[in-house]
Amino acid sequence: MTDHDTARDVPAGLPRPLSFRDLPRRPLDEGTGTLRRIWAEEGTGSERRWQVQLIELKGAGGAFLAPDHTHQRIVGLSGPQVALGDPEHSTALRRDSALLVRSSAVSFRRPRLRVTGVSTLLVLSFAALAVPPMLSFHTLDGTTEVPIGTRVLLHLRGDLTVDGVPADRQAALLLDPRAAHRAVASGARVLAVSDAVVTVGQDAP
């Protein structure tokens, strides 16, 4: 896992907290909105194997261009609903759900935008020929083991501490995937990025 400039320094092996609000913003390739990189892992050579980014869409539409030869998993987090694709072949993205886009370019629309607001999305980019990491939503309460293979926990709501390191809401915890981790939570809603399908506590219905 690569280091991120805005992650707080913590002892080796402990989760590294990263608040969304501290991430540098850059504009979308098209449309009104911003893009923030949360985490990336390099592959062989100079290729980027996986990348997780946060998109905040503010206008009626926009576009995101990932590196060549990548596919995207798009997750709806909050705000007015977003549709992916052109007007004639679009698919609505529901909150707490993911859609796969087999292209390096993704178009976004907000066709039923009646009030101003920001639509927040997560984009997981991965090499088209590689095995992608998995995305899964969980609701955590009490003490839970975060299993080996988990690379990132995105903390969306509630209270969460992992290995004694507290996570702000709307933040990420970068984890050592070679070790299991201990989470203490109260009504925490998290999105896990992992090497394979893992169970983090009890899935919400």
Side-chain angles (χ1 to χ4, degrees), residues 4-203:
H4 198 294
D5 292 341
T6 55
R8 296 202 299 269
D9 291 333
V10 295
L14 289 181
R16 287 176 290 164
L18 183 66
S19 177
F20 294 164
R21 65 175 178 268
D22 294 334
L23 296 170
R25 290 184 176 97
R26 64 180 178 87
L28 286 176
D29 296 289
E30 294 180 15
T32 304
T34 59
L35 186 67
R36 309 193 217 191
R37 195 186 85 179
I38 296 173
W39 166 80
E41 181 179 272
E42 306 299 334
T44 58
S46 59
E47 293 183 357
R48 182 157 288 167
R49 186 182 177 203
W50 298 337
Q51 182 170 258
V52 178
Q53 299 186 90
L54 195 71
I55 286 180
E56 294 166 315
L57 186 61
K58 299 179 181 179
F64 161 70
L65 184 60
D68 292 339
H69 310 299
T70 60
H71 292 166
Q72 324 302 318
R73 287 195 184 276
I74 316 294
V75 180
L77 296 182
S78 63
Q81 190 173 64
V82 173
L84 307 182
D86 60 63
E88 295 182 357
H89 304 91
S90 63
T91 304
L93 178 65
R94 295 190 297 273
R95 182 176 176 177
D96 286 9
S97 67
L99 290 174
L100 174 62
V101 178
R102 298 184 184 277
S103 171
S104 60
V106 184
S107 297
F108 305 102
R109 296 189 310 112
R110 300 202 289 179
R112 298 181 180 179
L113 188 61
R114 297 186 178 91
V115 296
T116 59
V118 175
S119 296
T120 304
L121 314 172
L122 190 82
V123 180
L124 169 62
S125 303
F126 57 95
L129 299 180
V131 177
M134 302 302 297
L135 294 173
S136 54
F137 280 97
H138 307 273
T139 298
L140 306 181
D141 276 296
T143 301
T144 303
E145 181 179 279
V146 181
I148 291 172
T150 306
R151 293 177 172 270
V152 183
L153 280 182
L154 298 158
H155 181 212
L156 306 176
R157 297 184 292 277
D159 297 312
L160 177 68
T161 299
V162 179
D163 295 345
V165 177
D168 295 336
R169 296 172 192 175
Q170 299 296 303
L173 284 174
L174 310 184
L175 306 180
D176 180 353
R178 299 166 296 181
H181 302 272
R182 181 174 178 269
V184 179
S186 176
R189 186 65 169 169
V190 302
L191 175 59
V193 181
S194 56
D195 288 331
V197 177
V198 297
T199 301
V200 184
Q202 179 65 43
D203 284 0

